[in-house]
Amino acid sequence: MKVEARLFDIVTVFAFLVAIVYAVMTGYMTADGVEPIGTVALILTGALALLVGSYFRFVARRIEPRPEDREDAEISDGAGELGFFSPGSYWPVGLAASAALGGVALAFFQIWLLVFAIIALLIAVGGLVFEYHTGPSHH
C-alpha cells in the first residue's frame, strides 16, 4: 500500500501548490480579490487526498509488504488467485445503466426519474450481491 500512499501524497502536494498559485493569481489579476470557491475546492481536494494517503500509510504499516511494495520483487511474486469474478454476469450492465439513468435524472433535475433510477440501482446491486446465493437448502 506504500505505492498508493505515495501516489496520494503527490496529489496532495500538487493540489495544495495549485491552490496557492490559484489564490495568488486571482488575488492579483482581479479587482475583487481572491476567488474563494476555487481556492477552497482546491484546498479540500488536497485535504481529501491527504486523508486517503494517510489511511493507506496506516494500513501499510499493519499488513505484510505486498510485491508492489518491495524493490526486489519478481513478477511471479504477484501470481495467484486474486478473487472470484463472475464471468457471465449481466448485473454490472444493469448497474451501469441505472447509474447512468440517475446521472441523466440529476442533470435534468427530474425527481420522478431519479426515484426510478434509485429503485433500479437498488435492484441491480441486490442482484449483483445475491447472484450466487441459492439459499440454505442448496449447497
Side-chain angles (χ1 to χ4, degrees), residues 15-16 19 22-23 34-47:
F16 285 146
Y22 184 82
V34 176
E35 197 272 317
I37 304 299
T39 307
V40 170
L42 287 167
I43 290 170
L44 289 177
T45 300

Side-chain angles (χ1 to χ4, degrees), residues 2 11 31 54 59 62 64 72 76 79 81-82 90 93 96 100 102-103 109 115 117 128 138:
K2 292 179 182 178
V11 172
S54 299
V59 170
R62 284 163 174 68
E64 62 184 48
D72 61 341
S76 61
E81 187 174 334
L82 298 176
Y90 289 109
V93 176
F109 198 65
V115 169
L128 189 63
H138 300 96

Side-chain angles (χ1 to χ4, degrees), residues 3-136:
V3 175
E4 291 89 350
R6 196 172 308 129
L7 180 69
F8 277 97
D9 289 342
I10 291 170
V11 172
T12 299
V13 170
F14 176 76
F16 285 146
L17 286 176
V18 169
I20 292 169
V21 169
Y22 184 82
V24 168
M25 289 190 72
T26 57
Y28 285 123
M29 302 244 180
T30 62
D32 297 334
V34 176
E35 197 272 317
I37 304 299
T39 307
V40 170
L42 287 167
I43 290 170
L44 289 177
T45 300
L48 183 62
L50 179 66
L51 182 74
V52 174
S54 299
Y55 173 74
F56 282 154
R57 218 172 298 104
F58 177 77
V59 170
R61 283 187 279 146
R62 284 163 174 68
I63 63 173
E64 62 184 48
R66 301 176 307 161
E68 295 88 0
D69 297 331
R70 296 192 332 250
E71 293 289 332
D72 61 341
E74 297 289 329
I75 293 175
S76 61
D77 293 340
E81 187 174 334
L82 298 176
F84 175 73
F85 303 98
S86 179
S89 177
Y90 289 109
W91 287 110
V93 176
L95 191 66
S98 58
L101 186 65
V104 169
L106 286 173
F108 292 110
F109 198 65
Q110 298 294 318
I111 301 299
W112 65 272
L113 190 59
L114 184 62
V115 169
F116 179 70
I118 289 172
I119 291 169
L121 190 67
L122 289 174
I123 291 170
V125 167
L128 189 63
V129 169
F130 296 113
E131 182 173 11
Y132 289 100
H133 181 72
T134 55

